[in-house]
Amino acid sequence: CRIHGDVERGKCIAEHALELDPQNAAAYVVLSNIYAAAGRWDNVTKVRKAMLDRGVRKEPGCSSIEVNGVVHDFFASDKLHPQTVEIYAELERLSKQMKEAGYIPNTKLVLHDVDEECKENLLCYHSEKLAIAFGLISTPSGTPLRVINNLRVCSDCHTAIQFISKIVGREIVVRDVSRYHQFKDGVCSCGDYW
């Protein structure tokens, strides 16, 4: 419904899902995203308030990577890691190289009422990108990276990781809730279908 802009159908489906299970965060998130994609920010606010009022919480995206026997967890825009400064510097370096190689951030995926620069920043610091940047600065060159993500990888991260794998010359494996993605030389094993 969001892709095709059918807000009314999406609203009916989400409301029906909420009747069946009023504590299901996914239905609220889908409805909020449909409204956001249509630019109906007042409705987005109402849906988020309803979630808050009912004590419904969306599961935050989390990406994990193991380095030297220690598992490191990252959340979007996370600044809690002891190496945050180095991780963010690595992402900024990669972002510049990716753009030079032709990467264009898909800001249409950012469903917040903010300017384009802010949308690019929000995309840049998704949890899987933070985990990969940490892996790159914490492991020897050429070492494969393995990241586990508790949600589905967004299409912008998927594209970005393809660029990163080519730029750094490393295999990057990302396990999300749907499948394994093996990125190597700028190509993903899923064939861009996930």
Side-chain angles (χ1 to χ4, degrees), residues 92-141:
E92 288 174 26
R93 184 187 70 75
L94 284 171
S95 182
K96 182 178 178 187
Q97 287 183 303
M98 288 165 33
K99 286 179 181 177
E100 288 170 359
Y103 165 74
I104 299 170
N106 187 353
T107 57
K108 290 180 183 173
L109 297 173
V110 180
L111 301 175
H112 297 283
D113 192 15
V114 294
D115 65 37
E116 286 298 306
E117 183 179 343
C118 186
K119 288 181 179 185
E120 280 192 34
N121 284 333
L122 288 169
L123 286 172
C124 185
Y125 303 113
H126 276 188
S127 64
E128 48 271 70
K129 292 175 185 170
L130 293 170
I132 289 167
F134 173 70
L136 290 172
I137 64 173
S138 303
T139 60
S141 181

Side-chain angles (χ1 to χ4, degrees), residues 58-63 74-76 126-128 149-152:
K58 174 185 173 255
E59 180 180 9
C62 177
S63 295
F74 294 90
F75 297 88
H126 276 188
S127 64
E128 48 271 70
N149 189 312
N150 69 330
L151 301 175
R152 184 172 180 257

Side-chain angles (χ1 to χ4, degrees), residues 39-175:
R40 292 172 57 173
W41 300 109
D42 289 342
N43 293 99
V44 171
T45 302
K46 289 176 187 174
V47 171
R48 291 182 181 164
K49 184 178 180 332
M51 285 180 74
L52 189 64
D53 292 346
R54 295 178 182 138
V56 178
R57 294 192 51 158
K58 174 185 173 255
E59 180 180 9
C62 177
S63 295
S64 304
I65 185 169
E66 184 178 337
V67 174
N68 297 325
V70 178
V71 175
H72 300 263
D73 294 326
F74 294 90
F75 297 88
S77 300
D78 193 346
K79 292 188 177 181
L80 298 176
H81 195 278
Q83 290 179 264
T84 292
V85 172
E86 296 90 343
I87 292 166
Y88 274 63
E90 178 68 1
L91 273 178
E92 288 174 26
R93 184 187 70 75
L94 284 171
S95 182
K96 182 178 178 187
Q97 287 183 303
M98 288 165 33
K99 286 179 181 177
E100 288 170 359
Y103 165 74
I104 299 170
N106 187 353
T107 57
K108 290 180 183 173
L109 297 173
V110 180
L111 301 175
H112 297 283
D113 192 15
V114 294
D115 65 37
E116 286 298 306
E117 183 179 343
C118 186
K119 288 181 179 185
E120 280 192 34
N121 284 333
L122 288 169
L123 286 172
C124 185
Y125 303 113
H126 276 188
S127 64
E128 48 271 70
K129 292 175 185 170
L130 293 170
I132 289 167
F134 173 70
L136 290 172
I137 64 173
S138 303
T139 60
S141 181
T143 304
L145 300 179
R146 305 199 189 300
V147 175
I148 298 172
N149 189 312
N150 69 330
L151 301 175
R152 184 172 180 257
V153 174
C154 81
S155 61
D156 181 75
C157 285
H158 192 270
T159 300
I161 298 168
Q162 288 175 312
F163 276 90
I164 293 169
S165 72
K166 187 167 182 79
I167 290 166
V168 300
R170 294 218 206 177
E171 175 187 6
I172 303 171
V173 177
V174 178
R175 170 69 173 127

